[in-house]
């Protein structure tokens, strides 16, 4: 877990896969998914972000949902991955890992200070 706040554009890029990964652990519901993401170090994911994503995944056939009665309270919508959801998690996770490796390599490669990309051009 981390107290670091990640840029929202980074989160938009990876949140879907992280939600699928969290649901892959077993039948779960929205609040538990948000808690799992927070425990993983991704910070607080608000319901206004999470629930529309879950709805899109359900409509796309990546998740199945079922209402379960609550224990003395309101029911909860429980989610589980479909076969397509498992496939998307495997394939998307592999693509994301390649992309993360590419960006890590690109950001850590040292370039000489005299390369044209870092040296201003002299005006004639």
């Amino acid at each position: 877990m981390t107290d670091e706040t990640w840029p929202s554009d980074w989160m938009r890029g990876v949140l879907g896969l992280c939600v699928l990964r969290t649901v892959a652990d077993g039948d779960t519901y929205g609040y538990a998914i948000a808690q799992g993401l927070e425990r993983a170090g991704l910070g607080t994911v608000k319901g206004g972000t999470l629930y529309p994503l879950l709805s899109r995944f359900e409509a796309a056939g990546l998740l199945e949902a079922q209402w379960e009665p609550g224990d003395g309270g309101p029911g909860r919508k429980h989610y589980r991955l479909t076969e397509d959801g498992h496939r998307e998690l495997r394939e998307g996770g592999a693509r994301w890992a390649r992309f993360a490796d590419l960006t890590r390599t690109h950001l850590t490669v040292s370039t000489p200070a005299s390369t044209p990309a870092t040296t201003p051009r002299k005006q004639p």
Side-chain angles (χ1 to χ4, degrees):
M1 179 147 59
T2 181
D3 291 333
E4 191 160 5
T5 301
W6 303 111
S8 60
D9 54 338
W10 293 6
M11 287 299 295
R12 276 191 300 277
V14 74
L15 185 60
L17 284 170
C18 290
V19 165
L20 292 176
R21 173 59 191 89
T22 302
V23 176
D25 286 339
D27 191 21
T28 189
Y29 55 97
Y31 182 71
I33 295 168
Q35 287 179 317
L37 294 169
E38 191 166 355
R39 278 192 308 275
L42 296 170
T44 301
V45 177
K46 296 183 174 157
T49 299
L50 180 60
Y51 289 103
L53 180 60
L54 292 170
S55 292
R56 283 195 304 275
F57 283 171
E58 187 180 357
L62 302 178
L63 296 176
E64 291 176 342
Q66 182 176 340
W67 281 98
E68 301 286 335
D71 295 330
R76 290 182 175 152
K77 195 172 189 179
H78 283 246
Y79 299 92
R80 73 182 57 81
L81 284 184
T82 63
E83 286 303 315
D84 286 345
H86 283 285
R87 185 175 22 264
E88 177 60 26
L89 177 57
R90 277 191 315 275
E91 293 173 2
R95 282 191 315 271
W96 183 265
R98 286 192 306 273
F99 180 73
D101 287 342
L102 244 169
T103 56
R104 184 183 312 100
T105 299
H106 181 70
L107 293 172
T108 58
V109 170
S110 176
T111 57
S114 62
T115 62
T118 58
T119 305
R121 298 179 89 171
K122 293 183 181 179
Q123 296 296 324

